[in-house]
């Protein structure tokens, strides 16, 4: 039985909100400009940063434009079972964007690793055995 206060009635409606969020972050990139001075004359050039997709960003976008969306992803009481596939796809697309951006150096790789629980593990085992010889150099060779 669907939750009575559902914002999105179908998974397609949530997907449309997701597509709207992706367009929104392209527009938001206008606020984040990278200034460079290029050429012999030092001409000022601005480029937009590529903003990363985040779950928090999507939730804020939905809250500002549609309403609270986190319960679709939490689905604590099973009201949103039919949204499982689209929710999974959204999470996977966000993770893929962050990982790819980190690998390419577009996003900070260290932060990307932490956000996505990626870490390089190296195991260092130090086994030091010290043998102490009890030899008295002044003793006769007995």
């Amino acid at each position: 039985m669907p939750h009575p206060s559902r914002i999105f009635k179908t998974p397609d409606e949530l997907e449309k909100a997701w597509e709207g969020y992706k367009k929104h972050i392209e527009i938001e990139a206008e606020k984040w400009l990278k200034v460079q001075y290029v050429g012999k004359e030092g001409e000022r050039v601005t480029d937009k940063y590529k903003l990363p997709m985040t779950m928090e960003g999507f939730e804020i976008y939905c809250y500002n434009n549609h309403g609270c969306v986190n319960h679709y992803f939490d689905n604590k009481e099973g009201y949103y079972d039919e949204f499982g596939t689209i929710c999974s796809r959204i999470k996977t697309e966000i993770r893929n964007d962050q990982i790819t951006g980190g690998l390419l150096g577009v996003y900070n790789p260290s932060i990307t690793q932490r956000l996505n629980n990626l870490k390089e593990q190296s195991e260092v085992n130090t086994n030091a055995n010290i043998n102490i010889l009890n030899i008295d150099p002044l003793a006769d060779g007995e």
Side-chain angles (χ1 to χ4, degrees):
M1 179 170 176
H3 194 275
S5 64
R6 259 191 196 180
I7 299 163
F8 303 110
K9 304 299 183 203
T10 66
D12 288 339
E13 291 178 16
L14 180 58
E15 184 175 14
K16 286 179 186 172
W18 171 243
E19 294 302 323
Y21 168 69
K22 292 193 288 187
K23 290 176 184 169
H24 169 75
I25 60 175
E26 287 179 22
I27 295 166
E28 284 292 300
E30 297 288 338
K31 296 178 183 177
W32 302 91
L33 298 177
K34 176 176 28 175
V35 178
Q36 298 179 22
Y37 296 92
V38 297
K40 184 171 75 171
E41 302 297 320
E43 181 182 338
R44 185 179 192 266
V45 177
T46 58
D47 289 322
K48 295 184 291 187
Y49 282 101
K50 183 192 180 307
L51 297 183
M53 297 178 192
T54 64
M55 193 64 209
E56 292 80 3
F58 180 56
E59 287 177 2
I60 292 167
Y61 169 80
C62 285
Y63 186 77
N64 291 338
N65 295 283
H66 305 285
C68 186
V69 73
N70 63 321
H71 45 276
Y72 288 85
F73 292 88
D74 298 340
N75 192 23
K76 290 183 181 171
E77 297 180 23
Y79 287 126
Y80 306 95
D81 285 341
E82 68 270 27
F83 290 86
T85 302
I86 186 62
C87 289
S88 176
R89 194 181 119 229
I90 289 169
K91 288 180 182 178
T92 302
E93 197 170 335
I94 288 170
R95 189 169 196 267
N96 182 60
D97 176 71
Q98 292 176 356
I99 292 170
T100 303
L103 288 169
L104 296 175
V106 175
Y107 309 145
N108 182 310
S110 177
I111 293 172
T112 301
Q113 290 169 354
R114 279 185 261 145
L115 287 173
N116 291 287
N117 297 317
L118 302 171
K119 60 183 176 182
E120 184 176 319
Q121 284 186 311
S122 57
E123 192 172 316
V124 178
N125 288 328
T126 306
N127 189 0
N129 291 328
I130 300 174
N131 293 325
I132 299 175
L133 300 175
N134 193 4
I135 301 174
D136 185 358
L138 300 177
D140 300 3
E142 293 179 23

